Amino acid sequence: MSSAIVSTPIKKVTTFSFAQMKQNGEKISMLTSYDYSLARIVDEAGIDAILVGDSASNVMAGWETTLPITLDQMIYHGASVARAVKRALIVVDLPFGTYQGNSKQALSSAIRIMKETGADAIKIEGGEEILESVQRILSAGIPIMGHLGLTPQSIHKFGTYTVRAREEAEANKLVRDAHLLEEAGCFSVVLEKIPASLAERVAKELTIPVIGIGAGSGVDGQVLVLHDMLGITNGFSPRFLRRYMHLYEDISAAVSSYVADVKSSDFPNDKEQY
Ligand code: KIV
């Protein structure tokens, strides 16, 4: 009898699996990650998709907005995550200034992400105004996740992070943009911070999966910023955020204990040295 260990191969989530999940009515789970260590935990815990979001600009680098993060920095985060992930679909954000208004630049930014990170897809913000960039990137065979509603790269245009598309004109444009992205060939769309009824309507009208953040329960999946749901970030409590842990307090208590142990010569003890 052979003693070979047979391990079940991990089935990678693909853009095709995304489409199947929508068809089967299976909700899609997505979280952000920006580094190897946390991405590995998130992947092994069974998440469907990991977004290497440009929220790294806020969460990892401490900037007020997502605008300062560069393409090189997104590639650094994307490659770190890709080295950890075996199963989840990896989507990397194209950062501000690398695709708007110039579709050739958009394509070369997307190609750098795909070549230098090992990601499966890219995400970009906007609808009609970036359609040429969307089409050019898709023509190179690079899958795109769209992003409509509150698009943080346009924060200086909006002036506020409040709920978008409450007014009829903005809601109608969002629905039109969602259809344009689907018709262009995007495999999925994120809707951020819009009324739940509008998000549900878009999810019903589109055949591609709609992933929500602050967009209610009537969509095909949910995404949250990992550091928010783990409670590492604090002083930020939007209604849509469910905190599954309170790590800010836990880490702070652990660090205080370590400081006290070092000061009192309690650490290291006899068993913790050679
Ligand atoms: O960058 C990000 O984390 C995002 C999510 C908020 C969707 O775009």
Side-chain angles (χ1 to χ4, degrees):
M1 204 170 115
S2 160
S3 62
I5 296 167
V6 181
S7 59
T8 320
I10 292 169
K11 200 159 180 287
K12 172 89 181 152
V13 180
T14 63
T15 54
F16 181 66
S17 334
F18 251 54
Q20 282 180 320
M21 283 190 258
K22 170 136 185 171
Q23 269 167 24
N24 298 339
E26 179 186 342
K27 296 273 185 176
I28 298 168
S29 61
M30 188 171 193
L31 282 170
T32 64
S33 296
Y34 319 102
D35 70 283
Y36 176 87
S37 302
L38 286 179
R40 193 164 160 209
I41 300 173
V42 170
D43 187 48
E44 286 179 4
I47 203 79
D48 295 316
I50 290 183
L51 173 64
V52 185
D54 59 358
S55 49
S57 181
N58 315 100
V59 175
M60 302 303 287
W63 291 107
E64 281 234 342
T65 72
T66 58
L67 275 65
I69 200 160
T70 66
L71 185 57
D72 284 339
Q73 289 164 343
M74 288 304 299
I75 287 170
Y76 169 82
H77 289 297
S80 305
V81 167
R83 281 192 288 273
V85 170
K86 294 197 169 63
R87 179 181 172 275
L89 181 90
I90 304 171
V91 183
V92 177
D93 263 334
L94 279 195
F96 175 70
T98 66
Y99 61 94
Q100 298 95 338
N102 182 339
S103 63
K104 286 191 181 154
Q105 184 199 15
L107 176 58
S108 73
S109 305
I111 287 175
R112 278 202 62 200
I113 296 266
M114 299 303 283
K115 262 187 187 296
E116 297 176 43
T117 68
D120 303 302
I122 58 110
K123 175 165 83 57
I124 51 181
E125 296 182 4
E128 192 179 5
E129 46 298 309
I130 57 147
L131 195 59
E132 196 183 309
S133 293
V134 167
Q135 285 162 337
R136 199 181 276 262
I137 293 169
L138 287 168
S139 73
I142 299 172
I144 299 182
M145 176 176 271
H147 184 158
L148 299 170
L150 176 63
T151 46
Q153 292 178 14
S154 303
I155 187 59
H156 295 303
K157 183 174 94 183
F158 300 146
T160 150
Y161 284 102
T162 54
V163 180
R164 303 303 315 173
R166 280 196 194 278
E167 306 299 328
E168 202 181 333
E170 193 177 337
N172 288 340
K173 174 171 167 25
L174 186 143
V175 173
R176 266 198 322 276
D177 282 343
H179 280 281
L180 279 178
L181 293 174
E182 167 162 288
E183 282 154 23
C186 290
F187 77 95
S188 175
V189 179
V190 167
L191 296 181
E192 180 167 352
K193 226 171 172 191
I194 63 167
S197 55
L198 176 62
E200 185 171 1
R201 175 183 160 198
V202 175
K204 284 204 172 113
E205 288 186 16
L206 297 195
T207 59
I208 58 173
V210 173
I211 311 294
I213 173 163
S217 59
V219 290
D220 307 304
Q222 300 291 331
V223 58
L224 283 177
V225 169
L226 181 66
H227 290 62
D228 294 340
M229 62 85 81
L230 293 180
I232 296 176
T233 45
N234 71 353
F236 169 73
S237 309
R239 188 201 294 206
F240 68 78
L241 175 60
R242 185 179 293 180
R243 288 200 199 277
Y244 287 81
M245 294 187 83
H246 294 88
L247 281 184
Y248 188 97
E249 288 81 1
D250 291 348
I251 293 172
S252 173
V255 172
S256 298
S257 299
Y258 171 74
V259 171
D261 290 352
V262 170
K263 299 277 180 196
S264 65
S265 297
D266 180 71
F267 177 80
N269 61 27
D270 289 348
K271 290 187 189 149
E272 289 164 332
Q273 51 192 302
Y274 300 100

